[in-house]
Amino acid sequence: MRWQTGRRSTNVEDRRRMGGRGVAGLGGGALIVVALIMVLTGTDPTELLEQVDLSGEMVGQSASPGEFTAAEQELADFSSVVLADTEDTWRMLFEQMGGTYQEPRLVLYSGSVQSACGFAQSAMGPFYCPSDQTVYLDLSFFEDLRSRFRAPGDFAQAYVIAHEVGHHVQYLLGIMDEVDEARRGASTEDANEITVRLELQADFLAGVWAHHAQRARQILEEGDVEEALNAASQIGDDRIQMESQGYVVPDAFTHGTAAQRARWFLRGYRTGDISQGDTFNARSL
Ligand SMILES: [Zn+2]
């Protein structure tokens, strides 16, 4: 990806090197208790965590660039450029729809982080929290992507960020709310099916971003689209389950299969047309 000369976003908050500090403040034992209560009682973690203030120490602190290796700093820089490009692209697309794009924030963290959706650890992977309209990303995930998921390349990383921004677009369009509503009272099987469709649409929206970013700024280099498609496939639920359990359980899918994820990204990339991405009413995924 040609990114070095791209605009940097002003919506990145760097909380690396701060990870774990809030945890230490509370005491590791207390956190384990919180996690245990959540498991035992089936409590919504966000409700519980709202009662436990982990964020106090983090406010007003910011890591200084000097603390990072050149490689770490480059990854942060790269993420900022990708985010900025999604801002420019979605601002344009929302204007075309007669709306206004509200930019999400991107929090870089290491280890663990407190979000408005609860306490998160990097093992959970990157995520979007609608309550604070923020994407949370531990940059070490990119190393996992390269080695564990065998999806190397900078555009594989850009796809991951664009997918999370896709969730933000879904939030702004009211799709997240509709999905929450539909999931309520649904069987586990049906709820998973709805989640898969939500995830595939985020892949589609990542493809739509790539289409318009390429058209406006020629960001793609040879092999970039393949990198994104490979990443979409490698982090498909069937691959992940096969690797971790040795078998696949379709009802437990929450992101879609390898083929589905690659197909929807490609559809967004080829058409660049948001109206082609109604995964909720698509007969076949
Ligand atoms: Zn997702």
Side-chain angles (χ1 to χ4, degrees), residues 163-164 167 199 202 255 261:
H163 170 97
E164 297 307 330
H167 285 312
E199 291 301 329
H255 276 81
R261 298 199 72 171

Side-chain angles (χ1 to χ4, degrees), residues 126-128 163-164 167 170 176 195 198-200 202-203 254-255 261:
F127 68 99
Y128 170 72
H163 170 97
E164 297 307 330
H167 285 312
Q170 291 174 318
M176 283 248 169
T195 306
L198 184 76
E199 291 301 329
L200 292 175
D203 286 332
T254 52
H255 276 81
R261 298 199 72 171

Side-chain angles (χ1 to χ4, degrees), residues 115-127:
S115 79
C117 295
F119 181 72
Q121 286 182 308
S122 50
M124 292 163 54
F127 68 99

Side-chain angles (χ1 to χ4, degrees), residues 12 18 35 48 51 60 64 73 78 81 85 113 126 132 136-137 142 170 172 176 193 198 211 219 224 234 238 281-282:
V12 180
M18 295 166 56
L48 211 106
Q51 297 159 28
S64 69
Q73 206 42 49
F78 170 81
V81 171
D85 202 296
V113 72
D132 54 16
Y136 290 86
L137 174 65
F142 290 154
Q170 291 174 318
L172 294 179
M176 283 248 169
E193 164 85 22
L198 184 76
H211 173 98
I219 59 164
D224 275 352
Q234 298 292 359
D238 50 348
N281 291 303

